[in-house]
Amino acid sequence: MWEPEAVKKFNVLVEVTLQPGILDPQGTTIERSLPHLGFDGISGVTVGKAIRFTCEAADEGAARGEVEELCKRFLTNPVIEDATITLERA
Amino acid sequence: MTARVGVILFPGSNCEQDAVEAIRALGGDAEVLWHGDATVGDVDAVVVPGGFAHGDYLRPGAIARFSPVMGAVADFAGSGGPVVGICNGFQVLTEAGLLPGALQKNRGLKFLCTTVDLRVETSRSVLTSGAEVGAVLRVPINHFEGNYTCSSETLAQLRGDDRIVLRYVENPNGSIDDIAGICNEGRNVVGLMPHPERACDVLLGSEDGKPLLRSLLTAAANAKV
């Protein structure tokens, strides 16, 4: 019996972070408040976005290509932001 | 014929009526264009006004650039039509790729709502053709992501091509090279963070926005011919 080519489903996590040198007022404010709350020794706080979705594609390479394009065109502003993509089979 | 200016209304825009009123007070004809229509009609100039288009979700301007009207705005700009993006409108134009660079959050962690001095840096743009180079204008600002940034290559290009239209006399938000407004290569697309439409009546504390919007009306009238 003929079977259609299986479409695979992937769970995707895109983490959007500000590029080095771009101001991060939320990160700065959180870091400044830490000593008041008694948390010492924490530094380098940055705040980004986590965007989760599922993606259907023939294989992991195709899924990654699609998500990279999505990041470039929509989910990030490449002038000031970077994206880190994590993919796993759903 | 009176120059006709289209002011785009996105869900979340909140300065479109200010722009319409200011343009009408200067003798121009103004109409509101809905973002969901894939046309700018027969207008002679386009204003992308301030506000929070699409709630500023994801990033200011990130969703607005995909609104149906934006394709028509890009075509209009591509054929030399005058386009001005004010505040959120500037953010929309950078996201849409009609202007280079991006607007990052203000240095100093604060939303800024105040009036600043702007210096006119060039009269070679649709927004400053009738303004005097070196003139200082008192114009309100009202933004959180108004800190203009771009690559060093882009900055060199903007400087070299005389495309920095307005600079802050005292930089309120940390923008690179004190930039308050820039234009594209064709000089017909201008983006600026300050609000000239809110500085067109003595009752509002300043009339210094008038020479800027008058310049736009002149450009619109010329585009009509």
Side-chain angles (χ1 to χ4, degrees):
Chain A
M1 208 175 97
W2 179 82
E3 280 186 40
E5 191 184 337
V7 172
K8 300 185 180 88
K9 240 182 178 181
F10 296 89
N11 290 327
V12 183
L13 167 65
V14 173
E15 289 168 276
V16 180
T17 50
L18 292 166
Q19 287 174 9
I22 298 299
L23 292 176
D24 178 6
Q26 287 191 80
T28 309
T29 307
I30 291 168
E31 187 161 333
R32 274 189 197 166
S33 67
L34 292 174
H36 304 295
L37 301 171
F39 293 99
D40 295 319
I42 295 175
S43 61
V45 178
T46 61
V47 176
K49 294 172 204 160
I51 303 170
R52 292 184 186 83
F53 52 93
T54 58
C55 173
E56 288 182 354
D59 56 48
E60 185 170 333
R64 187 168 286 278
E66 176 124 319
V67 175
E68 279 173 0
E69 183 66 14
L70 173 63
C71 287
K72 204 170 75 185
R73 287 186 51 204
F74 186 38
L75 297 184
T76 70
N77 180 334
V79 180
I80 54 175
E81 293 172 327
D82 291 323
T84 309
I85 298 166
T86 311
L87 267 172
E88 61 178 33
R89 275 296 289 276
Chain B
M1 283 280 283
T2 312
R4 197 169 178 73
V5 180
V7 182
I8 295 172
L9 174 63
F10 297 96
S13 298
N14 61 15
C15 298
E16 76 284 355
Q17 288 305 329
D18 306 59
V20 165
E21 290 299 321
I23 288 158
R24 287 184 183 156
L26 289 168
D29 199 356
E31 66 175 291
V32 171
L33 303 173
W34 178 238
H35 84 108
D37 298 330
T39 173
V40 294
D42 60 352
V43 300
D44 310 305
V46 169
V47 170
V48 188
F52 302 85
H54 296 278
D56 275 0
Y57 290 166
L58 192 59
R59 298 179 304 280
I63 315 267
R65 65 169 285 214
F66 294 109
S67 275
V69 76
M70 288 308 294
V73 172
D75 290 346
F76 181 77
S79 62
V83 177
V84 172
I86 300 168
C87 196
N88 190 227
F90 186 11
Q91 296 163 341
V92 172
L93 294 181
T94 57
E95 282 284 340
L98 293 175
L99 290 170
L103 283 309
Q104 63 166 323
K105 291 187 173 67
N106 297 338
R107 176 187 64 196
L109 316 180
K110 286 192 176 120
F111 187 99
L112 293 169
C113 182
T114 182
T115 300
V116 297
D117 286 339
L118 301 176
R119 194 170 53 245
V120 177
E121 298 289 359
T122 179
S123 58
R124 295 169 59 215
S125 86
V126 291
L127 194 67
T128 51
S129 60
E132 211 172 303
V133 174
V136 173
L137 309 175
R138 293 279 295 161
V139 180
I141 57 168
N142 194 231
H143 59 242
F144 186 47
E145 278 112 346
N147 176 348
Y148 182 79
T149 186
C150 61
S151 68
S152 50
E153 295 80 18
T154 300
L155 182 61
Q157 249 175 6
L158 292 174
R159 282 179 179 154
D161 297 346
D162 190 29
R163 285 167 53 193
I164 298 170
V165 174
L166 297 160
R167 278 196 176 92
Y168 300 109
V169 174
E170 278 182 55
N171 193 334
N173 58 27
S175 67
I176 196 165
D177 204 16
D178 301 331
I179 287 174
I182 58 167
C183 67
N184 68 342
E185 272 177 68
R187 321 196 80 83
N188 62 310
V189 179
V190 176
L192 73 165
M193 288 314 297
H195 288 271
E197 81 283 11
R198 295 188 195 168
C200 287
D201 193 307
V202 279
L203 276 176
L204 298 178
S206 170
E207 291 187 296
D208 288 359
K210 280 183 172 176
L212 301 179
L213 293 182
R214 239 186 239 123
S215 302
L216 179 64
L217 286 175
T218 304
N222 292 340
K224 188 186 266 304
V225 173

